Amino acid sequence: MNKEELDKIKNQALLENIPIIMDDTLEVIEKRLKENLPQRILEIGTAVGYSAICFSEFLKENGRIDTIERDEERVKQAIENIKKAGVEEKIKIYQGDAVEILPTLNEKYDMVFIDAAKGKYPFFLKEALRMLNKDGIIFADNILYKGYVLSDYNKHKQRTAVRNLREYIKQVSENPNLDTEILEVGDGLAISKIK
Ligand code: SAH
Ligand code: MG
């Protein structure tokens, strides 16, 4: 898909207040993918398919993406966008709650992109680690959540999300099998690579 058409999807999503991946975050991820093209990607949080379409350019031959989205309307839009991009052979959408769908998956992935309910990040991490290949990489978007995660902000209605994002950072940092970087691009990006 050319840049112009991709920008159309992006701008339409932004217009509808759908929280798609930010340009600088995407740039960082794409740079990492270019160095080592993945065969299989798992994405948690499809929205309208924007990030999945972007990632599909960086797959190995015959590579595929599994992506999970619970919002029915967004799934419909994602299917349309993925068709427009001509990558429907590469992207499989699972419609439903990732908390229920992840335990039913039993594949191996080279990359996992976590970009859904912030309060569920520790659970998503557990599932990602279960299915990650031995040289795999996990990206977690929105890990700094508008700066709340690193501040002493506690009296916020989003405090469950903040607590779980902090827990995610703690777990990836303390895991002896992972090398983790937390980058302040976009809304914060955690990159964890198996050692
Ligand atoms: N990755 C997309 C943006 C995803 S936005 C992109 O960059 O283009 C986050 C999405 O996750 C939303 O569409 C929301 O509906 C979905 N989501 C949130 N919690 C979820 C859950 N538990 N299971 C499945 N989808 C979820
Ligand atoms: Mg995000």
Side-chain angles (χ1 to χ4, degrees):
M1 173 170 249
N2 65 39
K3 172 100 173 55
E4 208 174 293
E5 288 170 305
L6 203 55
D7 276 350
K8 249 193 224 162
I9 295 176
K10 176 168 90 178
N11 292 330
Q12 184 58 35
L14 292 174
L15 211 65
E16 293 175 24
N17 282 320
I18 294 167
I20 56 166
I21 191 167
M22 292 171 85
D23 290 339
D24 50 355
T25 309
L26 184 62
E27 208 175 291
V28 170
I29 296 178
E30 289 185 345
K31 195 160 163 266
R32 298 293 287 257
L33 296 185
K34 254 185 226 165
E35 290 165 8
N36 198 355
L37 298 184
Q39 177 82 36
R40 299 281 284 125
I41 296 177
L42 172 64
E43 176 180 74
I44 308 170
T46 320
V48 295
Y50 176 71
S51 53
I53 292 168
C54 293
F55 299 153
S56 72
E57 311 259 330
F58 297 91
L59 287 169
K60 265 194 195 132
E61 222 187 307
N62 299 320
R64 279 178 28 242
I65 302 177
D66 289 339
T67 181
I68 308 172
E69 174 58 52
R70 67 177 169 197
D71 184 283
E72 205 179 326
E73 187 49 43
R74 288 187 183 171
V75 168
K76 276 190 197 144
Q77 280 181 263
I79 291 171
E80 234 173 74
N81 288 332
I82 288 165
K83 230 188 215 154
K84 262 191 232 152
V87 288
E88 61 267 51
E89 301 289 302
K90 295 184 178 181
I91 303 175
K92 174 171 177 177
I93 304 178
Y94 289 82
Q95 188 183 329
D97 192 325
V99 172
E100 283 158 29
I101 289 174
L102 285 167
T104 71
L105 301 179
N106 261 310
E107 311 255 346
K108 284 288 175 190
Y109 297 98
D110 306 301
M111 164 189 163
V112 180
F113 181 51
I114 300 175
D115 192 20
K118 298 175 186 74
K120 299 281 155 39
Y121 271 36
F123 176 77
F124 295 156
L125 175 65
K126 191 177 95 191
E127 289 297 295
L129 288 170
R130 178 176 66 80
M131 293 188 276
L132 201 63
N133 268 328
K134 54 174 180 354
D135 54 354
I137 189 163
I138 305 173
F139 297 95
D141 192 25
N142 307 96
I143 198 70
L144 298 178
Y145 195 13
K146 300 177 183 167
Y148 300 148
V149 169
L150 296 183
S151 72
D152 52 11
Y153 210 99
N154 283 316
K155 294 192 195 79
H156 190 269
K157 68 172 167 39
Q158 307 294 3
R159 65 183 180 277
T160 308
V162 171
R163 178 165 37 78
N164 282 291
L165 292 170
R166 286 178 183 150
E167 179 60 27
Y168 180 98
I169 294 175
K170 184 171 183 285
Q171 287 184 15
V172 287
S173 306
E174 290 176 357
N175 187 322
N177 299 319
L178 296 175
D179 264 331
T180 294
E181 302 162 70
I182 308 288
L183 304 184
E184 289 183 22
V185 288
D187 197 25
L189 178 70
I191 307 178
S192 303
K193 183 129 193 19
I194 304 257
K195 277 185 190 161

